[in-house]
Amino acid sequence: MTDTALPPATRTQALERLRRFLPHAGRDYAAQRNHDLPGHPHVSTLSPWLRHRLITEAEVLEAVLGRHSLQAAEKFVQEVYWRTYWKGWLELRPAIWGDYRAGLDRVLADGSMTDRLAQAEAGQTGIACFDAWMQELVATGYLHNHARMWAASIWIFTLRLPWEAGADLFLRHLLDGDPASNTLSWRWVAGLQTKGKHYLARPDNIAKYTGGRFQPTGLVTDAEPLRGPDAPKPRPAPRGDTPRPGLKTAILLTEEDLSPGFLLDALDGPPVAHAALLSVTGRSPRPVAPRVLDFTRAAITDARDRWSDRMGAAGPLTDDPGDILTWAKAQGIEQLVTPYAPVGPAATALSRLDRALAAERITLVRLLRPYDASAWPHATHGFFRFKEAIPALVAEL
Ligand SMILES: Cc1cc2nc3c(=O)[nH]c(=O)nc-3n(C[C@H](O)[C@H](O)[C@H](O)COP(=O)(O)OP(=O)(O)OC[C@H]3O[C@@H](n4cnc5c(N)ncnc54)[C@H](O)[C@@H]3O)c2cc1C
């Protein structure tokens, strides 16, 4: 499969996709969402835009619930809250991200599986469905949820490849690649997330939900879940910082949240300037796919263009925290206000920047979005428990 055109990384595109999907977000979605058909007609395909918050979860939920009852749209609402749950779960247990990265480093240093990994990544295993999904992933940067589950399961249990390398492949190629949803979904398929419960891809299920396009044989359908240490106890949910009034203030955008209205509303006056810190290359120790780099950079540019009249003078868009420091000093900035970045490369880059800014007496203020502040504290146990909070969370929107 050759590369397909990169979809526009704009809010306009997100709103257009939402508009087209809205009539189908109720009972149609509940009945059809598991079918992985060409063109993905039964799901929203909004994830690359949601991942960068070119459109927010709250906006999508509000639009869907403006059109359907909570009962009719229950399945779709729950899926959006899966994203929120995974983000909260990892936020309460950040060590899981570090453990994943350490495991990946070990796999890459080992080298004994390099050829088999390259074969799987290139979609040359001889398992037709798996090879097709690998090629679709690389060509488009998107896979249907069911295809992600089947592909991850075949990777782990049939091909016997390390789950960390599969998660890394997804993260480098998915336009919606997300440290929480991706790492924890791979752990879930492997049986590490819900201890002893793994996901085994079944040939009849694949045939049924791909409209008969694939009829795989030879898949391992009987295997033990992977074993690993217990997850750490959850830490308290973060609360975020509060900006101080009366200071010379600038905005710092990251690819984690490109709807900065809530930052501007929290300030006592307009910011003097804005800049953007890009961390997308930090998704992996290996090179991130060019279309992911392009999409993320374009998403940030779209947000800067849309908000330019409210964010003051334009500063750099850079992947080097040192550039932000130099710029902030030159502008005489006293506080830099940024959306709270959840666990992952953006949060790591912000921590580095924070230390450098502090040495220059510039404060980095990480503002937590009310949506995350309300939901994340509920991610202490499994999704089943989290789900009970959904009606109250929806009522708060
Ligand atoms: C192995 C594996 C890896 C994954 N990696 C990622 C990832 O890196 N980034 C990512 O955003 N999602 C990931 N997912 C979750 C899910 O597959 C995608 O969010 C979904 O397929 C996106 O397509 P959509 O926008 O059409 O979803 P829709 O079905 O239209 O759902 C609407 C929104 O709800 C959220 N959502 C839906 N299903 C899930 C789910 N199971 N978990 C979390 N959020 C969900 C997404 O934000 C999505 O845009 C992964 C799932 C698996 C099994």
Side-chain angles (χ1 to χ4, degrees), residues 248-276:
K248 193 168 179 188
T249 299
I251 297 287
L252 181 66
L253 294 180
T254 70
E255 69 252 37
E256 295 300 318
D257 194 325
L258 296 173
S259 292
F262 81 109
L263 298 182
L264 299 169
D265 293 345
L267 301 181
D268 61 336
V272 295
H274 68 278

PDB file of all heavy atoms in Angstrom, residues 248-276:
ATOM      1  N   LYS A 248       4.144  39.595  34.137  1.00  0.00           N
ATOM      2  CA  LYS A 248       4.277  39.591  32.678  1.00  0.00           C
ATOM      3  C   LYS A 248       4.198  38.129  32.211  1.00  0.00           C
ATOM      4  O   LYS A 248       5.078  37.326  32.520  1.00  0.00           O
ATOM      5  CB  LYS A 248       5.611  40.220  32.287  1.00  0.00           C
ATOM      6  CG  LYS A 248       5.705  40.535  30.813  1.00  0.00           C
ATOM      7  CD  LYS A 248       6.909  41.404  30.509  1.00  0.00           C
ATOM      8  CE  LYS A 248       6.996  41.672  29.023  1.00  0.00           C
ATOM      9  NZ  LYS A 248       8.211  42.338  28.627  1.00  0.00           N
ATOM     10  N   THR A 249       3.125  37.809  31.488  1.00  0.00           N
ATOM     11  CA  THR A 249       2.765  36.405  31.257  1.00  0.00           C
ATOM     12  C   THR A 249       2.787  36.055  29.771  1.00  0.00           C
ATOM     13  O   THR A 249       2.346  36.841  28.938  1.00  0.00           O
ATOM     14  CB  THR A 249       1.341  36.150  31.823  1.00  0.00           C
ATOM     15  OG1 THR A 249       1.370  36.417  33.231  1.00  0.00           O
ATOM     16  CG2 THR A 249       0.876  34.726  31.587  1.00  0.00           C
ATOM     17  N   ALA A 250       3.302  34.868  29.487  1.00  0.00           N
ATOM     18  CA  ALA A 250       3.240  34.334  28.117  1.00  0.00           C
ATOM     19  C   ALA A 250       2.615  32.943  28.168  1.00  0.00           C
ATOM     20  O   ALA A 250       2.573  32.285  29.217  1.00  0.00           O
ATOM     21  CB  ALA A 250       4.636  34.258  27.516  1.00  0.00           C
ATOM     22  N   ILE A 251       2.128  32.501  27.007  1.00  0.00           N
ATOM     23  CA  ILE A 251       1.497  31.175  26.880  1.00  0.00           C
ATOM     24  C   ILE A 251       2.486  30.233  26.212  1.00  0.00           C
ATOM     25  O   ILE A 251       3.168  30.604  25.251  1.00  0.00           O
ATOM     26  CB  ILE A 251       0.231  31.273  25.992  1.00  0.00           C
ATOM     27  CG1 ILE A 251      -0.825  32.170  26.626  1.00  0.00           C
ATOM     28  CG2 ILE A 251      -0.326  29.888  25.655  1.00  0.00           C
ATOM     29  CD1 ILE A 251      -1.539  31.578  27.802  1.00  0.00           C
ATOM     30  N   LEU A 252       2.556  29.008  26.715  1.00  0.00           N
ATOM     31  CA  LEU A 252       3.356  27.974  26.055  1.00  0.00           C
ATOM     32  C   LEU A 252       2.434  26.832  25.643  1.00  0.00           C
ATOM     33  O   LEU A 252       1.817  26.178  26.495  1.00  0.00           O
ATOM     34  CB  LEU A 252       4.442  27.452  26.997  1.00  0.00           C
ATOM     35  CG  LEU A 252       5.342  26.382  26.372  1.00  0.00           C
ATOM     36  CD1 LEU A 252       6.175  26.959  25.223  1.00  0.00           C
ATOM     37  CD2 LEU A 252       6.263  25.758  27.418  1.00  0.00           C
ATOM     38  N   LEU A 253       2.322  26.602  24.351  1.00  0.00           N
ATOM     39  CA  LEU A 253       1.505  25.482  23.864  1.00  0.00           C
ATOM     40  C   LEU A 253       2.378  24.230  23.723  1.00  0.00           C
ATOM     41  O   LEU A 253       3.570  24.333  23.427  1.00  0.00           O
ATOM     42  CB  LEU A 253       0.911  25.816  22.497  1.00  0.00           C
ATOM     43  CG  LEU A 253      -0.119  26.943  22.440  1.00  0.00           C
ATOM     44  CD1 LEU A 253      -0.600  27.129  21.007  1.00  0.00           C
ATOM     45  CD2 LEU A 253      -1.286  26.639  23.359  1.00  0.00           C
ATOM     46  N   THR A 254       1.766  23.075  23.910  1.00  0.00           N
ATOM     47  CA  THR A 254       2.411  21.806  23.556  1.00  0.00           C
ATOM     48  C   THR A 254       1.398  21.016  22.741  1.00  0.00           C
ATOM     49  O   THR A 254       0.215  21.379  22.689  1.00  0.00           O
ATOM     50  CB  THR A 254       2.803  20.960  24.792  1.00  0.00           C
ATOM     51  OG1 THR A 254       1.605  20.464  25.401  1.00  0.00           O
ATOM     52  CG2 THR A 254       3.611  21.766  25.791  1.00  0.00           C
ATOM     53  N   GLU A 255       1.825  19.898  22.150  1.00  0.00           N
ATOM     54  CA  GLU A 255       0.899  19.122  21.321  1.00  0.00           C
ATOM     55  C   GLU A 255      -0.164  18.393  22.149  1.00  0.00           C
ATOM     56  O   GLU A 255      -1.027  17.732  21.595  1.00  0.00           O
ATOM     57  CB  GLU A 255       1.660  18.121  20.447  1.00  0.00           C
ATOM     58  CG  GLU A 255       2.313  16.977  21.191  1.00  0.00           C
ATOM     59  CD  GLU A 255       3.841  17.124  21.220  1.00  0.00           C
ATOM     60  OE1 GLU A 255       4.320  18.272  21.347  1.00  0.00           O
ATOM     61  OE2 GLU A 255       4.529  16.100  21.123  1.00  0.00           O
ATOM     62  N   GLU A 256      -0.084  18.522  23.483  1.00  0.00           N
ATOM     63  CA  GLU A 256      -1.043  17.814  24.329  1.00  0.00           C
ATOM     64  C   GLU A 256      -2.401  18.496  24.390  1.00  0.00           C
ATOM     65  O   GLU A 256      -3.400  17.848  24.716  1.00  0.00           O
ATOM     66  CB  GLU A 256      -0.492  17.682  25.756  1.00  0.00           C
ATOM     67  CG  GLU A 256       0.743  16.836  25.854  1.00  0.00           C
ATOM     68  CD  GLU A 256       0.514  15.406  25.374  1.00  0.00           C
ATOM     69  OE1 GLU A 256      -0.524  14.808  25.692  1.00  0.00           O
ATOM     70  OE2 GLU A 256       1.380  14.887  24.645  1.00  0.00           O
ATOM     71  N   ASP A 257      -2.443  19.811  24.178  1.00  0.00           N
ATOM     72  CA  ASP A 257      -3.718  20.520  24.340  1.00  0.00           C
ATOM     73  C   ASP A 257      -3.700  21.784  23.507  1.00  0.00           C
ATOM     74  O   ASP A 257      -3.085  22.780  23.891  1.00  0.00           O
ATOM     75  CB  ASP A 257      -3.948  20.855  25.821  1.00  0.00           C
ATOM     76  CG  ASP A 257      -5.382  21.284  26.079  1.00  0.00           C
ATOM     77  OD1 ASP A 257      -5.969  21.937  25.187  1.00  0.00           O
ATOM     78  OD2 ASP A 257      -5.919  20.971  27.163  1.00  0.00           O
ATOM     79  N   LEU A 258      -4.361  21.725  22.354  1.00  0.00           N
ATOM     80  CA  LEU A 258      -4.322  22.845  21.417  1.00  0.00           C
ATOM     81  C   LEU A 258      -5.642  23.617  21.403  1.00  0.00           C
ATOM     82  O   LEU A 258      -6.028  24.188  20.392  1.00  0.00           O
ATOM     83  CB  LEU A 258      -3.931  22.329  20.026  1.00  0.00           C
ATOM     84  CG  LEU A 258      -2.503  21.742  20.013  1.00  0.00           C
ATOM     85  CD1 LEU A 258      -2.191  21.075  18.681  1.00  0.00           C
ATOM     86  CD2 LEU A 258      -1.468  22.832  20.319  1.00  0.00           C
ATOM     87  N   SER A 259      -6.316  23.617  22.557  1.00  0.00           N
ATOM     88  CA  SER A 259      -7.503  24.480  22.744  1.00  0.00           C
ATOM     89  C   SER A 259      -7.218  25.378  23.944  1.00  0.00           C
ATOM     90  O   SER A 259      -7.691  25.112  25.067  1.00  0.00           O
ATOM     91  CB  SER A 259      -8.749  23.624  22.981  1.00  0.00           C
ATOM     92  OG  SER A 259      -9.090  22.919  21.806  1.00  0.00           O
ATOM     93  N   PRO A 260      -6.429  26.461  23.746  1.00  0.00           N
ATOM     94  CA  PRO A 260      -5.918  27.209  24.894  1.00  0.00           C
ATOM     95  C   PRO A 260      -6.902  28.199  25.514  1.00  0.00           C
ATOM     96  O   PRO A 260      -6.511  28.951  26.411  1.00  0.00           O
ATOM     97  CB  PRO A 260      -4.713  27.961  24.298  1.00  0.00           C
ATOM     98  CG  PRO A 260      -5.026  28.102  22.851  1.00  0.00           C
ATOM     99  CD  PRO A 260      -5.863  26.912  22.470  1.00  0.00           C
ATOM    100  N   GLY A 261      -8.176  28.178  25.090  1.00  0.00           N
ATOM    101  CA  GLY A 261      -9.137  29.137  25.648  1.00  0.00           C
ATOM    102  C   GLY A 261      -9.176  29.102  27.164  1.00  0.00           C
ATOM    103  O   GLY A 261      -9.258  30.148  27.817  1.00  0.00           O
ATOM    104  N   PHE A 262      -9.082  27.913  27.761  1.00  0.00           N
ATOM    105  CA  PHE A 262      -9.192  27.838  29.227  1.00  0.00           C
ATOM    106  C   PHE A 262      -7.995  28.481  29.924  1.00  0.00           C
ATOM    107  O   PHE A 262      -8.114  28.966  31.046  1.00  0.00           O
ATOM    108  CB  PHE A 262      -9.421  26.392  29.692  1.00  0.00           C
ATOM    109  CG  PHE A 262      -8.189  25.525  29.791  1.00  0.00           C
ATOM    110  CD1 PHE A 262      -7.682  25.152  31.027  1.00  0.00           C
ATOM    111  CD2 PHE A 262      -7.544  25.066  28.650  1.00  0.00           C
ATOM    112  CE1 PHE A 262      -6.568  24.343  31.147  1.00  0.00           C
ATOM    113  CE2 PHE A 262      -6.416  24.255  28.748  1.00  0.00           C
ATOM    114  CZ  PHE A 262      -5.923  23.896  29.993  1.00  0.00           C
ATOM    115  N   LEU A 263      -6.855  28.520  29.248  1.00  0.00           N
ATOM    116  CA  LEU A 263      -5.686  29.214  29.827  1.00  0.00           C
ATOM    117  C   LEU A 263      -5.950  30.721  29.829  1.00  0.00           C
ATOM    118  O   LEU A 263      -5.724  31.406  30.833  1.00  0.00           O
ATOM    119  CB  LEU A 263      -4.431  28.974  28.984  1.00  0.00           C
ATOM    120  CG  LEU A 263      -3.889  27.572  28.809  1.00  0.00           C
ATOM    121  CD1 LEU A 263      -2.611  27.620  27.973  1.00  0.00           C
ATOM    122  CD2 LEU A 263      -3.598  26.928  30.153  1.00  0.00           C
ATOM    123  N   LEU A 264      -6.412  31.213  28.691  1.00  0.00           N
ATOM    124  CA  LEU A 264      -6.615  32.656  28.547  1.00  0.00           C
ATOM    125  C   LEU A 264      -7.672  33.140  29.537  1.00  0.00           C
ATOM    126  O   LEU A 264      -7.537  34.213  30.132  1.00  0.00           O
ATOM    127  CB  LEU A 264      -7.010  32.975  27.103  1.00  0.00           C
ATOM    128  CG  LEU A 264      -5.936  32.576  26.073  1.00  0.00           C
ATOM    129  CD1 LEU A 264      -6.462  32.659  24.658  1.00  0.00           C
ATOM    130  CD2 LEU A 264      -4.697  33.453  26.234  1.00  0.00           C
ATOM    131  N   ASP A 265      -8.707  32.321  29.738  1.00  0.00           N
ATOM    132  CA  ASP A 265      -9.770  32.710  30.668  1.00  0.00           C
ATOM    133  C   ASP A 265      -9.274  32.769  32.110  1.00  0.00           C
ATOM    134  O   ASP A 265      -9.870  33.438  32.944  1.00  0.00           O
ATOM    135  CB  ASP A 265     -10.941  31.714  30.582  1.00  0.00           C
ATOM    136  CG  ASP A 265     -11.645  31.807  29.232  1.00  0.00           C
ATOM    137  OD1 ASP A 265     -11.413  32.802  28.506  1.00  0.00           O
ATOM    138  OD2 ASP A 265     -12.409  30.878  28.899  1.00  0.00           O
ATOM    139  N   ALA A 266      -8.186  32.052  32.406  1.00  0.00           N
ATOM    140  CA  ALA A 266      -7.684  32.015  33.785  1.00  0.00           C
ATOM    141  C   ALA A 266      -6.724  33.172  34.093  1.00  0.00           C
ATOM    142  O   ALA A 266      -6.296  33.328  35.229  1.00  0.00           O
ATOM    143  CB  ALA A 266      -6.960  30.684  34.026  1.00  0.00           C
ATOM    144  N   LEU A 267      -6.372  33.954  33.082  1.00  0.00           N
ATOM    145  CA  LEU A 267      -5.408  35.047  33.291  1.00  0.00           C
ATOM    146  C   LEU A 267      -6.136  36.344  33.646  1.00  0.00           C
ATOM    147  O   LEU A 267      -7.298  36.537  33.293  1.00  0.00           O
ATOM    148  CB  LEU A 267      -4.566  35.260  32.030  1.00  0.00           C
ATOM    149  CG  LEU A 267      -3.755  34.054  31.546  1.00  0.00           C
ATOM    150  CD1 LEU A 267      -2.958  34.430  30.293  1.00  0.00           C
ATOM    151  CD2 LEU A 267      -2.826  33.549  32.644  1.00  0.00           C
ATOM    152  N   ASP A 268      -5.402  37.255  34.309  1.00  0.00           N
ATOM    153  CA  ASP A 268      -6.030  38.536  34.659  1.00  0.00           C
ATOM    154  C   ASP A 268      -5.936  39.555  33.522  1.00  0.00           C
ATOM    155  O   ASP A 268      -6.469  40.650  33.625  1.00  0.00           O
ATOM    156  CB  ASP A 268      -5.410  39.101  35.945  1.00  0.00           C
ATOM    157  CG  ASP A 268      -3.917  39.368  35.805  1.00  0.00           C
ATOM    158  OD1 ASP A 268      -3.273  38.743  34.945  1.00  0.00           O
ATOM    159  OD2 ASP A 268      -3.380  40.215  36.556  1.00  0.00           O
ATOM    160  N   GLY A 269      -5.258  39.196  32.452  1.00  0.00           N
ATOM    161  CA  GLY A 269      -5.169  40.089  31.297  1.00  0.00           C
ATOM    162  C   GLY A 269      -4.600  39.311  30.135  1.00  0.00           C
ATOM    163  O   GLY A 269      -4.221  38.144  30.288  1.00  0.00           O
ATOM    164  N   PRO A 270      -4.523  39.921  28.959  1.00  0.00           N
ATOM    165  CA  PRO A 270      -3.996  39.175  27.809  1.00  0.00           C
ATOM    166  C   PRO A 270      -2.509  38.871  27.967  1.00  0.00           C
ATOM    167  O   PRO A 270      -1.774  39.699  28.525  1.00  0.00           O
ATOM    168  CB  PRO A 270      -4.233  40.118  26.626  1.00  0.00           C
ATOM    169  CG  PRO A 270      -4.580  41.443  27.191  1.00  0.00           C
ATOM    170  CD  PRO A 270      -4.933  41.290  28.630  1.00  0.00           C
ATOM    171  N   PRO A 271      -2.063  37.709  27.484  1.00  0.00           N
ATOM    172  CA  PRO A 271      -0.625  37.402  27.550  1.00  0.00           C
ATOM    173  C   PRO A 271       0.141  38.300  26.582  1.00  0.00           C
ATOM    174  O   PRO A 271      -0.428  38.759  25.597  1.00  0.00           O
ATOM    175  CB  PRO A 271      -0.563  35.944  27.107  1.00  0.00           C
ATOM    176  CG  PRO A 271      -1.780  35.733  26.286  1.00  0.00           C
ATOM    177  CD  PRO A 271      -2.837  36.661  26.804  1.00  0.00           C
ATOM    178  N   VAL A 272       1.443  38.527  26.887  1.00  0.00           N
ATOM    179  CA  VAL A 272       2.221  39.395  25.996  1.00  0.00           C
ATOM    180  C   VAL A 272       2.728  38.619  24.782  1.00  0.00           C
ATOM    181  O   VAL A 272       3.027  39.210  23.750  1.00  0.00           O
ATOM    182  CB  VAL A 272       3.414  40.047  26.727  1.00  0.00           C
ATOM    183  CG1 VAL A 272       2.921  40.995  27.804  1.00  0.00           C
ATOM    184  CG2 VAL A 272       4.357  39.005  27.293  1.00  0.00           C
ATOM    185  N   ALA A 273       2.875  37.313  24.926  1.00  0.00           N
ATOM    186  CA  ALA A 273       3.477  36.539  23.835  1.00  0.00           C
ATOM    187  C   ALA A 273       3.117  35.061  23.995  1.00  0.00           C
ATOM    188  O   ALA A 273       2.578  34.644  25.021  1.00  0.00           O
ATOM    189  CB  ALA A 273       4.994  36.710  23.857  1.00  0.00           C
ATOM    190  N   HIS A 274       3.447  34.282  22.968  1.00  0.00           N
ATOM    191  CA  HIS A 274       3.242  32.831  23.060  1.00  0.00           C
ATOM    192  C   HIS A 274       4.313  32.119  22.249  1.00  0.00           C
ATOM    193  O   HIS A 274       4.882  32.678  21.306  1.00  0.00           O
ATOM    194  CB  HIS A 274       1.853  32.438  22.569  1.00  0.00           C
ATOM    195  CG  HIS A 274       1.658  32.642  21.108  1.00  0.00           C
ATOM    196  ND1 HIS A 274       1.341  33.860  20.554  1.00  0.00           N
ATOM    197  CD2 HIS A 274       1.746  31.782  20.055  1.00  0.00           C
ATOM    198  CE1 HIS A 274       1.230  33.751  19.252  1.00  0.00           C
ATOM    199  NE2 HIS A 274       1.482  32.491  18.909  1.00  0.00           N
ATOM    200  N   ALA A 275       4.551  30.874  22.656  1.00  0.00           N
ATOM    201  CA  ALA A 275       5.498  30.014  21.936  1.00  0.00           C
ATOM    202  C   ALA A 275       4.965  28.591  22.017  1.00  0.00           C
ATOM    203  O   ALA A 275       3.951  28.333  22.666  1.00  0.00           O
ATOM    204  CB  ALA A 275       6.881  30.108  22.564  1.00  0.00           C
ATOM    205  N   ALA A 276       5.639  27.660  21.337  1.00  0.00           N
ATOM    206  CA  ALA A 276       5.172  26.265  21.350  1.00  0.00           C
ATOM    207  C   ALA A 276       6.357  25.317  21.447  1.00  0.00           C
ATOM    208  O   ALA A 276       7.371  25.499  20.763  1.00  0.00           O
ATOM    209  CB  ALA A 276       4.363  25.974  20.092  1.00  0.00           C
TER     210      ALA A 276
END
